[in-house]
């Protein structure tokens, strides 16, 4: 296979150094490329889809969510919601052990939840998702109740991912959290056997997994930041699944004889958040002008080649709380100029569009946005940041310019998971906004047990955010994968969390 016939010439030089000729992967070994290394595998320390893509294979929750987004029994075989929604009663799966041999039981659930809600959990971004939990009561080794301070209609979904993954008490107590974060031990279908920071993670089957052992002999995740390099490695048969496909290369993959392109509606929505604390975007009129100045339909059609849908709020159509009747602010550069004049913004006022440097697709989007803003009199600078610096420092520590890229998957598929973390004062991802009225709305919807009433409350939150122009909603990009045709049995997950137990490699 000649790389030059597949990759555009501009990307070939960058790809050759890592895509020199070598044999393909061994049978039974699946290699997945993803952009980001989470750096810490502790469930309470994460906020990244990149974590879920890998760690969902070696951790389990009390509840699991399948590829169709249905909740099903995990480490709990059944559950009941009691006491007007304030007691969750679980029967636990017996005979399950962690990868180091430590038994799973009700005391594990108690340890996991109390650790999440304690000082250790307070160091990470997951704790606020679970603050409705008041206590954990152990009835017997395989029966446990999670008692809530208030009804939390999303809690069962939250127990299916990320912060609530079950962890081994003895192992963590003996080794410490720092060691655990680099040498994770779970109950899942795979176990981690090697981890090279920013290079790779190697997983092997757990033969004792309660749903049966995986069919693969080995699962390797390679952390490849550059999307073009992922595609080059996919073409060279050195990775089997590439998870970061530039829009410009989708046709390259679709037309390759050994590959297939998978494009499905996913949960990830991209917006530009506004710095509401410093600079011209403190003025709501300026923020509304910026929203009016950008032709989002053109961006989706021309840059994203139809592989996305425009959005009106920070959620996809898969999210509970999504309002299909919410109207998009129309593209209206004349109205934008008028608002800027009312706000007394001088022509040529500088604003920046900050984004992750490895996101080649968004780089084009950012450049288009900058051009639109120039038309209405703003001087827009496109400012890339290294990915880990951007997500771990620039955003949470409030160091951004006027606008900053934010993509969010909403892993519970409930708008609460996005809205609370993005807009509530003091949250990790909200360095600027402090709005008591919005905080009250966010807190209030978490206490509503009636599903229809809570859905209406979430829609009102989305309207409030739009009315105050806290962000520029951009698009819901399809979840796009490049897959080698030798991979069999793969069901593409819309939430990016691969379930690979039934996958084989020819």
């Amino acid at each position: 296979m000649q790389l030059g016939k597949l990759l555009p010439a501009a990307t070939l030089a960058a790809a050759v150094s890592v895509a020199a000729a070598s044999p393909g992967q061994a049978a039974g070994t699946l290699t997945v490329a993803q952009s980001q290394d989470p750096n810490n595998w502790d469930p309470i320390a994460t906020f990244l889809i990149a974590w879920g893509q890998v760690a969902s294979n070696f951790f389990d929750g009390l509840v699991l969510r399948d590829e169709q987004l249905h909740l099903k029994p995990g480490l709990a075989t059944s559950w009941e919601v009691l006491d007007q929604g304030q007691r969750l009663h679980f029967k636990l799966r017996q005979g399950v052990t962690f990868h180091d041999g430590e038994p799973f039981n009700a005391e594990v659930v108690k340890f996991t939840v109390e650790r999440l809600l304690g000082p250790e959990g307070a160091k990470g971004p997951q704790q606020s998702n679970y603050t409705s939990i008041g206590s954990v009561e152990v009835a017997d080794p395989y029966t446990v109740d999670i008692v809530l301070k208030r009804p939390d209609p999303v809690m069962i979904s939250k127990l299916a991912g990320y912060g609530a993954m079950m962890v081994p008490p003895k192992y963590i107590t003996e080794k410490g959290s720092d060691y655990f974060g680099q040498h994770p031990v779970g109950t899942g279908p795979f176990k981690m056997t090697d981890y090279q920071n920013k290079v790779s993670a190697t997983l092997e089957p757990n033969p004792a997994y309660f749903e049966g052992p995986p069919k693969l002999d080995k699962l390797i995740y390679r952390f490849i930041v550059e999307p073009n390099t992922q595609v080059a490695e996919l073409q060279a048969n050195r990775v089997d699944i590439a998870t970061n496909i530039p829009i410009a290369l989708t046709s390259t993959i679709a037309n390759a004889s050994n590959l297939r392109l998978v494009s499905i509606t996913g949960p990830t929505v991209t917006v530009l958040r506004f710095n509401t604390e410093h600079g011209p975007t403190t003025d709501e009129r300026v923020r509304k002008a910026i929203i009016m100045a950008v032709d989002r339909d053109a961006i989706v059609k021309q840059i994203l080649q139809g592989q996305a849908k425009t959005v009106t709020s920070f959620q996809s159509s898969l999210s509970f709380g999504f309002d299909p009747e919410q109207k998009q602010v129309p593209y209206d550069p004349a109205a934008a100029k008028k608002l800027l004049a009312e706000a007394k913004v001088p022509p040529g006022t500088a604003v920046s569009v900050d984004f992750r440097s490895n996101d080649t697709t968004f780089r084009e989007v950012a450049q288009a946005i900058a051009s639109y803003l120039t038309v209405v009199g703003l001087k827009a600078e496109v400012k890339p940041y290294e990915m880990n610096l951007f997500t771990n420092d620039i955003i949470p520590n409030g160091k951004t310019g006027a606008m900053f890229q934010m993509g969010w998957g909403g892993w519970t598929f409930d708008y609460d998971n996005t809205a609370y973390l993005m807009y509530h004062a003091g949250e990790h991802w909200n360095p600027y906004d402090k709005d008591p009225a919005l905080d009250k709305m966010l807190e209030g919807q978490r206490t509503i047990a009636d599903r229809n009433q809570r859905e209406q409350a979430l829609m009102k939150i989305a309207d409030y955010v739009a009315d105050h122009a806290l962000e520029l909603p951009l698009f819901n990009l399809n979840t796009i994968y490049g897959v080698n045709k030798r991979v069999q049995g793969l069901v593409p997950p819309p939430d990016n969390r691969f379930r690979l137990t039934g996958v084989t490699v020819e």
Side-chain angles (χ1 to χ4, degrees):
M1 182 180 297
Q2 298 297 314
L3 286 175
K5 294 181 180 178
L6 294 174
L7 275 176
T11 64
L12 180 58
V16 165
S17 62
V18 291
S22 74
Q25 297 296 320
T29 297
L30 180 75
T31 301
V32 181
Q34 71 175 48
S35 298
Q36 192 168 10
D37 179 352
N39 298 311
N40 188 334
W41 299 105
D42 191 332
I44 64 175
T46 186
F47 48 78
L48 298 171
I49 290 176
W51 184 94
Q53 285 179 308
V54 182
S56 295
N57 290 291
F58 52 80
F59 284 120
D60 287 318
L62 296 178
V63 181
L64 298 179
R65 190 169 62 207
D66 63 20
E67 295 91 343
Q68 287 73 44
L69 308 181
H70 299 144
L71 295 176
K72 66 177 188 177
L75 291 174
T77 57
S78 65
W79 60 87
E80 295 179 88
V81 180
L82 307 173
D83 297 349
Q84 290 76 51
Q86 290 191 240
R87 181 178 293 269
L88 308 179
H89 181 72
F90 294 93
K91 290 291 185 180
L92 304 182
R93 195 174 297 276
Q94 300 186 30
V96 175
T97 60
F98 285 91
H99 301 145
D100 66 341
E102 187 173 343
F104 167 75
N105 53 37
E107 291 296 338
V108 170
V109 179
K110 184 176 177 65
F111 174 87
T112 297
V113 174
E114 291 180 348
R115 179 174 182 265
L116 168 63
L117 296 177
E120 198 68 35
K123 299 175 185 177
Q126 281 293 326
Q127 189 178 88
S128 65
N129 276 323
Y130 301 90
T131 53
S132 61
I133 297 175
S135 62
V136 178
E137 297 178 359
V138 174
D140 63 50
Y142 296 102
T143 306
V144 65
D145 287 1
I146 295 179
V147 182
L148 305 181
K149 302 173 189 174
R150 57 186 181 275
D152 185 341
V154 196
M155 184 52 69
I156 294 296
S157 292
K158 292 175 183 176
L159 295 175
Y162 293 84
M165 297 291 94
M166 294 293 114
V167 298
K170 184 172 182 289
Y171 181 83
I172 291 175
T173 301
E174 291 179 353
K175 300 289 189 180
S177 292
D178 289 344
Y179 186 87
F180 174 63
Q182 301 301 302
H183 305 85
V185 168
T187 61
F190 292 88
K191 53 188 175 182
M192 185 179 284
T193 56
D194 182 70
Y195 171 52
Q196 304 294 324
N197 186 255
K198 292 184 171 56
V199 178
S200 66
T202 301
L203 282 60
E204 295 182 4
N206 173 10
Y209 190 56
F210 62 81
E211 287 189 338
K215 296 179 180 180
L216 292 168
D217 298 324
K218 187 177 290 187
L219 172 58
I220 299 172
Y221 282 87
R222 290 178 56 194
F223 306 118
I224 302 175
V225 174
E226 292 301 325
N228 291 333
T229 305
Q230 283 198 23
V231 173
E233 291 292 270
L234 181 70
Q235 290 175 315
N237 293 323
R238 278 192 294 275
V239 302
D240 300 301
I241 302 173
T243 60
N244 190 2
I245 306 298
I247 296 295
L249 294 182
T250 53
S251 60
T252 297
I253 292 171
N255 294 329
S257 61
N258 64 325
L259 307 176
R260 62 188 176 100
L261 183 74
V262 177
S263 180
I264 58 175
T265 298
T268 301
V269 171
T270 299
V271 304
L272 274 183
R273 303 277 308 278
F274 289 116
N275 183 336
T276 58
E277 197 169 273
H278 308 288
T281 47
T282 57
D283 190 319
E284 185 177 303
R285 293 170 297 181
V286 175
R287 302 195 298 269
K288 288 181 175 179
I290 289 172
I291 294 171
M292 291 178 177
V294 177
D295 189 345
R296 289 165 280 174
D297 290 320
I299 287 173
V300 165
K301 183 178 180 180
Q302 297 171 16
I303 298 176
L304 304 181
Q305 300 179 22
Q307 294 281 359
K309 306 174 189 70
T310 57
V311 292
T312 57
S313 64
F314 205 171
Q315 59 184 321
S316 77
S317 59
L318 300 174
S319 172
F320 181 76
F322 174 80
D323 183 0
E325 302 301 319
Q326 189 178 36
K327 302 300 183 185
Q328 179 173 300
V329 175
Y331 171 55
D332 191 340
K337 290 179 181 179
K338 183 178 179 181
L339 274 178
L340 290 173
E342 288 178 6
K344 296 182 170 54
V345 176
T349 295
V351 294
S352 70
V353 179
D354 301 352
F355 68 100
R356 299 193 310 269
S357 61
N358 72 307
D359 191 336
T360 56
T361 298
F362 194 83
R363 183 184 294 271
E364 292 186 60
V365 172
Q367 290 168 344
I369 291 171
S371 296
Y372 284 123
L373 297 182
T374 299
V375 170
V376 298
L378 297 173
K379 183 180 179 182
E381 174 191 9
V382 173
K383 193 170 184 180
Y385 285 93
E386 188 274 328
M387 178 171 54
N388 287 315
L389 175 67
F390 192 56
T391 56
N392 295 323
D393 180 25
I394 300 300
I395 294 176
N397 291 319
K399 299 179 181 179
T400 74
M403 293 162 278
F404 56 100
Q405 175 195 13
M406 178 66 77
W408 196 254
W411 62 269
T412 62
F413 290 85
D414 190 297
Y415 186 47
D416 166 81
N417 178 251
T418 300
Y420 199 97
L421 299 181
M422 295 297 140
Y423 314 128
H424 195 283
E427 283 297 320
H428 181 86
W429 291 114
N430 179 21
Y432 304 122
D433 301 320
K434 298 175 182 66
D435 185 335
L438 182 53
D439 287 352
K440 186 176 180 180
M441 295 171 71
L442 290 164
E443 293 161 8
Q445 60 82 24
R446 285 188 163 185
T447 68
I448 299 172
D450 182 89
R451 180 177 174 86
N452 291 332
Q453 290 181 19
R454 199 173 76 84
E455 185 176 36
Q456 291 300 312
L458 290 172
M459 289 179 180
K460 287 179 181 178
I461 290 170
D463 286 339
Y464 186 95
V465 170
D467 290 344
H468 290 76
L470 299 183
E471 65 208 7
L472 164 54
L474 289 171
F475 49 80
N476 170 208
L477 187 65
N478 285 359
T479 298
I480 304 172
Y481 306 118
V483 182
N484 193 299
K485 289 181 179 177
R486 76 192 195 107
V487 177
Q488 302 296 313
L490 178 70
V491 180
D495 64 354
N496 296 293
R497 295 166 65 193
F498 287 107
R499 288 80 167 165
L500 298 171
T501 52
V503 170
T504 60
V505 180
E506 293 182 345

